[in-house]
Structure formats: C-alpha cells, structure tokens
Amino acid sequence: MLKIIALLGLLSFSSLVNAEGGYEAVTPAQPVQNPDKIEVIEFFWYGCPHCYSLEPAMVEWLKTKPANVEFIRQPAVFSDLWGKHAKAYFTAEALGVLDKVHADLFDAIQNKKQKLVSEEELAKFFADHGVKDEEFRSAFNSFLVDAKLRQAESTGPRYGISGVPALIVNGKYKVTAQSAKSQTNMLTVVNQLIAQESQKK
C-alpha cells in the first residue's frame, strides 16, 4: 500500500514538474511521421477565436523554425460543425490551395462571420479564390477528403486533446495556453522542447 501511495505521489510530482515546464506529457507517446525530424503538430479549429489570435505568431514562427522541424497542421474535430470546417481544410489541401486560403478561411469565419459549412457556401468561397466549381466539388466529395476527415475524428483523442489551440512536440509533449501559462508563451515552450529533443538525435 505504501508503495502505491509513493508511486502516486511520484506521478503527481512528475505531472507538476511538466506543468511548471509549460507542457503536459502525452501518454502514451505517439509515433511521428518522420523519425529523422522533430515533429510539431498544431491542433486548431477555424471557428476558435484563440486559434485565430495565435495564427500571426504561428506564421512568424514558421518563417524561422529550425530546419529539422516537420510542421503539421491538424484540424480538430469535436462536433459536426468542427468537422465541416475540417473538411474545408482537407479540400483545400487536396486542391493544393491551402497556402492561398488558410488565412482567408480564418478571416471569413472569425471576422466576416461567414458560416462556411455547406457545400454551396464553400463552393462560392473557393470560387472567389480561383478554384473552378467542378474541381472544388470533385475534391470536396472525394474518398481522400472523406478518409482524412474520418482520421481527424480519432486523431485528437490519441493525443489527449480536449481543446484548441494545442501544440504537440515529437508525439511526447502537449503545449496549451493553460500549461504554458499564456498563449504568447506557447511557442517559447515549443522551442525549448524542440531544442531538448534535438539533443537526443
């Protein structure tokens, strides 16, 4: 019994240390896509104002991220609405226009208060960005986009994601505004974890 109490105390202490370090451990740790790189995953939702406010800092960070970092955007799916916005992301990715529309999807939903949930609404949005209607609909209704959407529904829970924005470093560490004490400190913690993981390579 004493051993169990001591173990629980040790686990609690470990969690406390992690929290003070600005991150939480991902348990169990998840495999990365490229073992030769330090993987950073950003879980987000276009309808999340906190994700939108983090975006300028993410854009700047991407310009200066270390060469050994593999960055992955990952739409989180916690409801049907989140799923519709995730489908817009995967459609843009399939069409090769993600860099062109990512920021504008945020702007349309956050500032212009456009819902962008129906196929018709999104067809018009993509048309305004130079995508032909038939090309949009083909990608939007494709097996590839549907498969990525289904995969996204199970990806968040694997990393213990309960809210966004959240950043995962190398499948081992989860950084949120709560763990980092502020949203502005999230990328500072991420950079520290990248440096820590790079030393192990």
Side-chain angles (χ1 to χ4, degrees):
M1 185 67 181
L2 286 174
K3 286 183 179 179
I4 293 173
I5 293 172
L7 180 59
L8 289 173
L10 182 60
L11 288 171
S12 298
F13 178 72
S14 175
S15 298
L16 180 63
V17 171
N18 290 347
E20 289 179 349
Y23 64 89
E24 299 171 41
V26 175
T27 308
Q30 297 298 307
V32 298
Q33 292 186 16
N34 183 353
D36 295 328
K37 298 278 191 176
I38 306 299
E39 183 180 87
V40 176
I41 304 176
E42 178 198 14
F43 282 89
F44 75 98
W45 171 42
Y46 285 121
C48 167
H50 303 295
C51 298
Y52 179 60
S53 65
L54 180 64
E55 186 64 13
M58 289 300 305
V59 170
E60 289 306 309
W61 178 80
L62 285 169
K63 293 176 183 176
T64 60
K65 73 174 178 60
N68 67 332
V69 170
E70 183 86 15
F71 177 69
I72 300 168
R73 284 194 181 98
Q74 178 62 55
V77 180
F78 287 117
S79 71
D80 183 58
L81 175 60
W82 290 43
K84 291 181 187 305
H85 290 160
K87 191 171 183 179
Y89 175 90
F90 292 127
T91 299
E93 187 177 56
L95 289 166
V97 296
L98 194 54
D99 289 343
K100 188 189 293 188
V101 306
H102 180 66
D104 286 353
L105 277 166
F106 261 128
D107 181 60
I109 292 168
Q110 291 293 324
N111 296 326
K112 297 175 182 174
K113 306 304 179 187
Q114 296 176 11
K115 291 187 168 109
L116 295 185
V117 293
S118 72
E119 184 173 342
E120 294 306 317
E121 289 170 332
L122 285 165
K124 183 179 184 311
F125 174 87
F126 276 81
D128 290 342
H129 288 79
V131 178
K132 293 179 181 177
D133 187 79
E134 60 271 22
E135 290 178 354
F136 163 78
R137 293 181 192 276
S138 177
F140 186 78
N141 294 297
S142 67
F143 173 80
L144 174 64
V145 167
D146 186 56
K148 287 196 170 187
L149 182 59
R150 287 201 307 273
Q151 184 181 41
E153 291 171 353
S154 61
T155 300
R158 285 199 295 112
Y159 291 92
I161 301 298
S162 58
V164 290
L167 301 169
I168 303 292
V169 179
N170 233 24
K172 302 176 184 177
Y173 314 106
K174 177 173 67 175
V175 182
T176 64
Q178 290 74 29
S179 69
K181 306 305 184 210
S182 72
Q183 186 167 288
T184 55
N185 198 40
M186 287 175 67
L187 288 168
T188 301
V189 174
V190 165
N191 285 335
Q192 292 168 349
L193 290 169
I194 289 170
Q196 175 183 304
E197 289 296 293
S198 295
Q199 291 176 357
K200 299 176 184 178
K201 294 289 185 183

